[in-house]
Amino acid sequence: MVLSALFKEVLLLSLMGSILALGILVIKAIFRQRLSAKLHYYIWILLVLRLIVPIDIQSHISFISFIPIEQKKLDHHFIAEQYVPNIIPNSTIATENTPSIEDSKALADPGILGAILSYDTAAVLWIIGVSSMLLYILCVNILMRAKLKKCSFCEREDLIEILEAEKSKLRVNSKIKIIYSNYSKSPAVYGMIHPKIIIPEELIDKLTLEEFRFVLSHELTHIKNKDLVVNTLLMIVKAIYWFNPLIWYSLNQVKQDCELACDASVISTLKTEEVKKYGLTIINMLRLFSEKRSTTGTLGYASKYNKRRIVMITQFKKSSAICAVLALSLTIMVGFSSTIKPGSSVVSPNENSDINSSTLSVEKTSQDQASQSDITQDKTSNASASNNNTSSLSSNGDTQRKLLSSIMQLAKQGKIINSKFPVKTTVIEDVEKKLGNPDKADWVPNAKGNYAVFSKYNVVFGFNKGSQIFEARSFDEKLNELSLSMVKKVFGTPAYDVKSNGEEIIGYVANSEYKILLVFPMPSNSNPDPVMDHYSVLYPKGTFNNMSNDTGRQW
């Protein structure tokens, strides 16, 4: 369950990241020659943040809002039919003890179970892919560290003098050593904490001191800009989103732009006549290493994208301030509009649900209910069984009062009448150990959590990203004898009363921690005093999200 919920979050971030990546690629193509190399690089920061920070940015400009899907506006507290499966009309439950043949087929529908299993399988495949890639990266770097320990350090005084001079010019204070190695086919920098500049041994006698100065200046600039940290972060993000080719392509573009930004930083410190020599050094490196082999976790001087680098060097200039501001503004707009959660309205993706009949189909579980209920509830159950027969109004009223008293007393403990699992102190894994896997589980953004349906037990549990249950919902048969007028007569004026989508939802405060929400069909001429459909006990604090400053639900 936790893995599936995490996978859903990754899929949402992947979708939002893909939209943002496309926007950035378009913006970069439009302003390609008008933006500096550094700005081309830094513009990717928004994408990386979008992929690693799971927050919903409210926006009235959302690409998602342009998708032509018919939707129905719901109150944020309501759980739609999409995650309350196998729904049958209230009349069926009121007159029959067992589902009809059609309803039995719905209960045993393999399509729902198959979809769940396939989704869980996808989540498992995803985590296997992530683990494999991270393990590969770890193994490559462990081997690299082992190989570098066997390499010799540079002791040439002229190269060490150049290194110290460039460190002083660039204000790099880290202790950095030059290592001779043939494991990297071009000069590279390796190590975030203790960085080392790797020089292939075959280069020692093939480069002039001036070319060595350019190479060392380039690698030192990577160290100064903390590009190795960024590179490591990019590898982790690529591992998480290994299934999304667009994200991979975009993150590879980030690495290319990192090299261009580094070149731009070096060029800004060179004299005019030295810029051409810097470009010639790159060409010379290409000639020497036409079959370049990169090492995971390193940043190299020569690469297969040098044509673009040479063009940038020959056309080096600062970006236009107007173009820079315009490009950044467009990027920020795309970033905000890539959110999956438009700020203009709260909607449900399932418009074809008949909310008026949102009651779970029931199986006979009188044995289990008797073990979980006290004598009062047992008497209530007997009264419910005979409710369709003629009985006195006073007797029926007493039964309703006893059941409502039980509902309120249990709500103060965070429980519903047909479940022993309290909200706040229970995690969804505890429920699964006792009740088995849910029939269906979905992430519901408007309700601030995941919702797991246990049709056999007539309960639905809402839980947050920490697996804490914050809402317990009951579809017990006994609720069908509680009328709207009796609830208001016993509990008084509700603290919350909303009529929406053919239903009236009323709410009461059980105590300082828990609230009760009771759902009825909308009163009508033919049904002026409807009976309860279902009710829930809510722990509002369980819906808080401090990381995204989300105050959660109140009802």
Side-chain angles (χ1 to χ4, degrees):
M1 290 301 300
V2 176
L3 179 60
S4 296
L6 179 61
F7 183 48
K8 289 179 182 180
E9 188 73 22
V10 170
L11 286 179
L12 287 175
L13 291 176
S14 178
L15 173 61
M16 292 184 280
S18 297
I19 295 172
L20 179 56
L22 285 173
I24 292 177
L25 289 171
V26 171
I27 292 170
K28 283 166 60 64
I30 294 174
F31 296 95
R32 188 176 188 85
Q33 301 299 331
R34 298 179 180 87
L35 299 180
S36 68
K38 290 183 179 180
L39 196 52
H40 271 287
Y41 176 47
Y42 295 141
I43 207 171
W44 289 110
I45 292 177
L46 191 58
L47 173 62
V48 177
L49 290 176
R50 176 69 277 180
L51 292 174
I52 64 176
V53 181
I55 59 174
D56 292 319
I57 304 173
Q58 292 291 345
S59 173
H60 293 276
I61 306 173
S62 174
F63 288 121
I64 305 301
S65 63
F66 292 100
I67 298 176
I69 300 176
E70 293 186 358
Q71 296 173 325
K72 175 165 62 179
K73 185 175 181 181
L74 299 176
D75 290 299
H76 65 276
H77 58 271
F78 191 77
I79 306 304
E81 186 174 299
Q82 63 174 9
Y83 45 94
V84 183
N86 309 325
I87 297 173
I88 59 177
N90 288 345
S91 58
T92 305
I93 292 180
T95 58
E96 300 178 10
N97 290 327
T98 59
S100 64
I101 296 175
E102 291 77 8
D103 296 325
S104 298
K105 290 181 179 178
L107 282 170
D109 183 8
I112 296 176
L113 184 59
I116 296 172
L117 290 177
S118 63
Y119 193 87
D120 289 341
T121 302
V124 172
L125 292 176
W126 166 72
I127 198 65
I128 290 175
V130 174
S131 302
S132 300
M133 293 196 63
L134 293 177
L135 182 61
Y136 170 76
I137 294 171
L138 180 62
C139 290
V140 168
N141 280 273
I142 291 175
L143 291 174
M144 186 67 179
R145 289 177 63 88
K147 290 177 180 179
L148 289 180
K149 288 182 179 180
K150 300 177 182 179
C151 297
S152 59
F153 292 99
C154 172
E155 296 180 355
R156 282 182 50 176
E157 294 184 359
D158 52 352
L159 293 184
I160 295 175
E161 288 179 3
I162 293 174
L163 176 65
E164 294 301 323
E166 292 301 310
K167 283 176 58 180
S168 178
K169 182 173 70 173
L170 296 174
R171 297 180 181 178
V172 176
N173 299 320
S174 304
K175 185 178 180 181
I176 301 169
K177 293 183 179 181
I178 300 175
I179 293 180
Y180 295 147
S181 170
N182 284 326
Y183 299 119
S184 178
K185 286 298 181 179
S186 72
V189 59
Y190 178 82
M192 289 187 296
I193 301 176
H194 302 292
K196 304 173 183 65
I197 297 177
I198 304 172
I199 303 292
E201 288 182 329
E202 53 190 297
L203 265 187
I204 302 303
D205 300 323
K206 295 180 180 180
L207 295 182
T208 66
L209 290 178
E210 186 176 42
E211 288 175 328
F212 266 119
R213 181 168 68 87
F214 292 147
V215 170
L216 294 176
S217 180
H218 181 94
E219 305 304 339
L220 287 171
T221 302
H222 275 311
I223 295 173
K224 178 183 178 181
N225 294 338
K226 308 296 182 183
D227 289 335
L228 272 173
V229 177
V230 176
N231 189 51
T232 302
L233 179 61
L234 293 181
M235 288 191 293
I236 295 174
V237 174
K238 286 176 72 174
I240 295 173
Y241 297 94
W242 60 266
F243 57 88
N244 190 327
L246 179 59
I247 297 298
W248 267 61
Y249 175 80
S250 299
L251 295 181
N252 286 335
Q253 289 293 120
V254 178
K255 193 169 182 179
Q256 293 180 40
D257 288 333
C258 175
E259 291 296 331
L260 292 175
C262 185
D263 287 331
S265 296
V266 174
I267 291 173
S268 65
T269 65
L270 300 178
K271 298 177 182 178
T272 304
E273 60 273 13
E274 291 179 323
V275 174
K276 182 178 180 181
K277 295 179 181 179
Y278 183 81
L280 291 174
T281 301
I282 294 178
I283 295 174
N284 188 28
M285 299 290 289
L286 278 177
R287 179 178 58 82
L288 294 172
F289 305 109
S290 57
E291 296 182 357
K292 180 243 178 189
R293 180 183 65 196
S294 64
T295 301
T296 302
T298 65
L299 288 174
Y301 183 82
S303 72
K304 60 183 178 181
Y305 307 107
N306 281 291
K307 179 179 178 181
R308 184 181 169 201
R309 293 173 65 187
I310 293 171
V311 171
M312 187 279 296
I313 292 170
T314 57
Q315 299 178 354
F316 177 73
K317 60 181 179 180
K318 295 182 178 181
S319 61
S320 165
I322 296 178
C323 290
V325 171
L326 183 58
L328 288 174
S329 300
L330 288 174
T331 304
I332 293 173
M333 286 179 61
V334 173
F336 273 78
S337 65
S338 68
T339 177
I340 198 71
K341 184 179 180 182
S344 58
S345 63
V346 180
V347 295
S348 169
N350 190 357
E351 206 262 337
N352 295 321
S353 299
D354 182 9
I355 309 300
N356 294 335
S357 61
S358 57
T359 305
L360 289 173
S361 59
V362 179
E363 293 185 4
K364 288 289 290 179
T365 56
S366 57
Q367 295 287 339
D368 296 334
Q369 291 172 359
S371 64
Q372 297 176 13
S373 305
D374 55 17
I375 297 175
T376 302
Q377 291 173 310
D378 193 33
K379 292 180 180 179
T380 303
S381 179
N382 294 331
S384 176
S386 61
N387 189 49
N388 292 326
N389 300 324
T390 57
S391 60
S392 65
L393 294 176
S394 59
S395 175
N396 187 43
D398 291 338
T399 301
Q400 292 186 32
R401 287 187 178 89
K402 291 178 180 179
L403 180 54
L404 287 172
S405 175
S406 178
I407 287 175
M408 181 58 73
Q409 291 301 318
L410 288 171
K412 292 178 180 180
Q413 303 172 35
K415 297 179 182 179
I416 53 178
I417 58 173
N418 57 329
S419 170
K420 64 180 180 179
F421 302 104
V423 298
K424 181 184 176 182
T425 58
T426 306
V427 294
I428 192 63
E429 288 80 7
D430 293 339
V431 177
E432 292 175 343
K433 289 178 182 178
K434 297 290 185 180
L435 306 186
N437 292 328
D439 301 301
K440 190 174 183 181
D442 280 319
W443 165 254
V444 186
N446 297 336
K448 309 295 184 182
N450 293 280
Y451 279 78
V453 178
F454 297 86
S455 301
K456 181 179 179 180
Y457 301 94
N458 305 326
V459 292
V460 176
F461 293 103
F463 59 97
N464 56 32
K465 294 179 181 179
S467 296
Q468 178 193 39
I469 292 178
F470 62 79
E471 182 176 0
R473 181 161 297 196
S474 172
F475 290 82
D476 194 277
E477 285 186 33
K478 296 189 292 291
L479 300 177
N480 287 277
E481 61 188 74
L482 294 175
S483 65
L484 177 60
S485 61
M486 179 58 72
V487 171
K488 290 185 177 181
K489 183 177 180 179
V490 174
F491 287 165
T493 303
Y496 182 79
D497 194 342
V498 170
K499 295 179 179 179
S500 177
N501 300 290
E503 291 185 332
E504 182 170 354
I505 304 102
I506 60 176
Y508 296 90
V509 178
N511 55 29
S512 60
E513 290 190 314
Y514 308 125
K515 296 179 179 179
I516 307 177
L517 282 167
L518 308 102
V519 182
F520 297 82
M522 189 83 75
S524 61
N525 292 332
S526 59
N527 187 18
D529 192 20
V531 295
M532 189 184 302
D533 188 330
H534 62 275
Y535 86 101
S536 62
V537 173
L538 176 69
Y539 173 58
K541 292 182 180 179
T543 64
F544 290 4
N545 190 338
N546 295 326
M547 292 185 63
S548 59
N549 295 322
D550 187 348
T551 57
R553 293 167 51 188
Q554 296 303 314
W555 291 99

PDB file of all heavy atoms in Angstrom, residues 10-22:
ATOM      1  N   VAL A  10       4.908   9.561  -7.562  1.00  0.00           N
ATOM      2  CA  VAL A  10       5.968   9.681  -8.576  1.00  0.00           C
ATOM      3  C   VAL A  10       5.360   9.866  -9.964  1.00  0.00           C
ATOM      4  O   VAL A  10       5.852  10.667 -10.768  1.00  0.00           O
ATOM      5  CB  VAL A  10       6.889   8.443  -8.538  1.00  0.00           C
ATOM      6  CG1 VAL A  10       7.838   8.433  -9.736  1.00  0.00           C
ATOM      7  CG2 VAL A  10       7.696   8.424  -7.246  1.00  0.00           C
ATOM      8  N   LEU A  11       4.271   9.139 -10.250  1.00  0.00           N
ATOM      9  CA  LEU A  11       3.616   9.283 -11.551  1.00  0.00           C
ATOM     10  C   LEU A  11       3.062  10.689 -11.746  1.00  0.00           C
ATOM     11  O   LEU A  11       3.169  11.269 -12.833  1.00  0.00           O
ATOM     12  CB  LEU A  11       2.487   8.248 -11.685  1.00  0.00           C
ATOM     13  CG  LEU A  11       2.898   6.793 -11.920  1.00  0.00           C
ATOM     14  CD1 LEU A  11       1.664   5.906 -12.001  1.00  0.00           C
ATOM     15  CD2 LEU A  11       3.723   6.662 -13.193  1.00  0.00           C
ATOM     16  N   LEU A  12       2.461  11.245 -10.679  1.00  0.00           N
ATOM     17  CA  LEU A  12       1.951  12.612 -10.769  1.00  0.00           C
ATOM     18  C   LEU A  12       3.079  13.604 -11.004  1.00  0.00           C
ATOM     19  O   LEU A  12       2.980  14.500 -11.846  1.00  0.00           O
ATOM     20  CB  LEU A  12       1.185  12.965  -9.486  1.00  0.00           C
ATOM     21  CG  LEU A  12      -0.186  12.306  -9.299  1.00  0.00           C
ATOM     22  CD1 LEU A  12      -0.752  12.656  -7.936  1.00  0.00           C
ATOM     23  CD2 LEU A  12      -1.145  12.742 -10.392  1.00  0.00           C
ATOM     24  N   LEU A  13       4.174  13.446 -10.241  1.00  0.00           N
ATOM     25  CA  LEU A  13       5.321  14.336 -10.424  1.00  0.00           C
ATOM     26  C   LEU A  13       5.928  14.143 -11.809  1.00  0.00           C
ATOM     27  O   LEU A  13       6.412  15.114 -12.418  1.00  0.00           O
ATOM     28  CB  LEU A  13       6.370  14.061  -9.345  1.00  0.00           C
ATOM     29  CG  LEU A  13       5.993  14.461  -7.917  1.00  0.00           C
ATOM     30  CD1 LEU A  13       7.078  14.034  -6.941  1.00  0.00           C
ATOM     31  CD2 LEU A  13       5.758  15.958  -7.815  1.00  0.00           C
ATOM     32  N   SER A  14       5.910  12.912 -12.305  1.00  0.00           N
ATOM     33  CA  SER A  14       6.443  12.646 -13.642  1.00  0.00           C
ATOM     34  C   SER A  14       5.618  13.367 -14.701  1.00  0.00           C
ATOM     35  O   SER A  14       6.173  13.944 -15.650  1.00  0.00           O
ATOM     36  CB  SER A  14       6.446  11.143 -13.903  1.00  0.00           C
ATOM     37  OG  SER A  14       6.903  10.847 -15.212  1.00  0.00           O
ATOM     38  N   LEU A  15       4.289  13.328 -14.552  1.00  0.00           N
ATOM     39  CA  LEU A  15       3.418  14.030 -15.492  1.00  0.00           C
ATOM     40  C   LEU A  15       3.656  15.529 -15.451  1.00  0.00           C
ATOM     41  O   LEU A  15       3.824  16.180 -16.498  1.00  0.00           O
ATOM     42  CB  LEU A  15       1.955  13.717 -15.166  1.00  0.00           C
ATOM     43  CG  LEU A  15       0.908  14.511 -15.951  1.00  0.00           C
ATOM     44  CD1 LEU A  15       1.029  14.236 -17.435  1.00  0.00           C
ATOM     45  CD2 LEU A  15      -0.500  14.172 -15.463  1.00  0.00           C
ATOM     46  N   MET A  16       3.703  16.091 -14.242  1.00  0.00           N
ATOM     47  CA  MET A  16       3.926  17.531 -14.110  1.00  0.00           C
ATOM     48  C   MET A  16       5.320  17.916 -14.606  1.00  0.00           C
ATOM     49  O   MET A  16       5.503  18.946 -15.263  1.00  0.00           O
ATOM     50  CB  MET A  16       3.735  17.950 -12.650  1.00  0.00           C
ATOM     51  CG  MET A  16       2.303  17.834 -12.169  1.00  0.00           C
ATOM     52  SD  MET A  16       2.060  18.437 -10.486  1.00  0.00           S
ATOM     53  CE  MET A  16       2.640  17.029  -9.556  1.00  0.00           C
ATOM     54  N   GLY A  17       6.320  17.065 -14.305  1.00  0.00           N
ATOM     55  CA  GLY A  17       7.676  17.325 -14.767  1.00  0.00           C
ATOM     56  C   GLY A  17       7.781  17.267 -16.277  1.00  0.00           C
ATOM     57  O   GLY A  17       8.524  18.052 -16.889  1.00  0.00           O
ATOM     58  N   SER A  18       7.037  16.354 -16.918  1.00  0.00           N
ATOM     59  CA  SER A  18       7.071  16.236 -18.376  1.00  0.00           C
ATOM     60  C   SER A  18       6.502  17.492 -19.035  1.00  0.00           C
ATOM     61  O   SER A  18       7.053  17.987 -20.030  1.00  0.00           O
ATOM     62  CB  SER A  18       6.279  15.011 -18.825  1.00  0.00           C
ATOM     63  OG  SER A  18       6.854  13.823 -18.326  1.00  0.00           O
ATOM     64  N   ILE A  19       5.405  17.993 -18.479  1.00  0.00           N
ATOM     65  CA  ILE A  19       4.815  19.227 -19.007  1.00  0.00           C
ATOM     66  C   ILE A  19       5.805  20.379 -18.883  1.00  0.00           C
ATOM     67  O   ILE A  19       6.011  21.161 -19.825  1.00  0.00           O
ATOM     68  CB  ILE A  19       3.510  19.558 -18.266  1.00  0.00           C
ATOM     69  CG1 ILE A  19       2.455  18.484 -18.540  1.00  0.00           C
ATOM     70  CG2 ILE A  19       2.982  20.921 -18.680  1.00  0.00           C
ATOM     71  CD1 ILE A  19       1.202  18.629 -17.713  1.00  0.00           C
ATOM     72  N   LEU A  20       6.436  20.486 -17.720  1.00  0.00           N
ATOM     73  CA  LEU A  20       7.412  21.557 -17.502  1.00  0.00           C
ATOM     74  C   LEU A  20       8.631  21.388 -18.399  1.00  0.00           C
ATOM     75  O   LEU A  20       9.149  22.367 -18.948  1.00  0.00           O
ATOM     76  CB  LEU A  20       7.828  21.580 -16.032  1.00  0.00           C
ATOM     77  CG  LEU A  20       8.865  22.638 -15.628  1.00  0.00           C
ATOM     78  CD1 LEU A  20       8.387  24.034 -16.005  1.00  0.00           C
ATOM     79  CD2 LEU A  20       9.153  22.563 -14.132  1.00  0.00           C
ATOM     80  N   ALA A  21       9.109  20.150 -18.574  1.00  0.00           N
ATOM     81  CA  ALA A  21      10.273  19.900 -19.421  1.00  0.00           C
ATOM     82  C   ALA A  21      10.004  20.326 -20.859  1.00  0.00           C
ATOM     83  O   ALA A  21      10.861  20.950 -21.507  1.00  0.00           O
ATOM     84  CB  ALA A  21      10.652  18.424 -19.361  1.00  0.00           C
ATOM     85  N   LEU A  22       8.817  19.981 -21.370  1.00  0.00           N
ATOM     86  CA  LEU A  22       8.461  20.400 -22.727  1.00  0.00           C
ATOM     87  C   LEU A  22       8.438  21.919 -22.846  1.00  0.00           C
ATOM     88  O   LEU A  22       8.917  22.489 -23.840  1.00  0.00           O
ATOM     89  CB  LEU A  22       7.092  19.825 -23.101  1.00  0.00           C
ATOM     90  CG  LEU A  22       7.038  18.333 -23.451  1.00  0.00           C
ATOM     91  CD1 LEU A  22       5.596  17.875 -23.626  1.00  0.00           C
ATOM     92  CD2 LEU A  22       7.839  18.049 -24.711  1.00  0.00           C
TER      93      LEU A  22
END
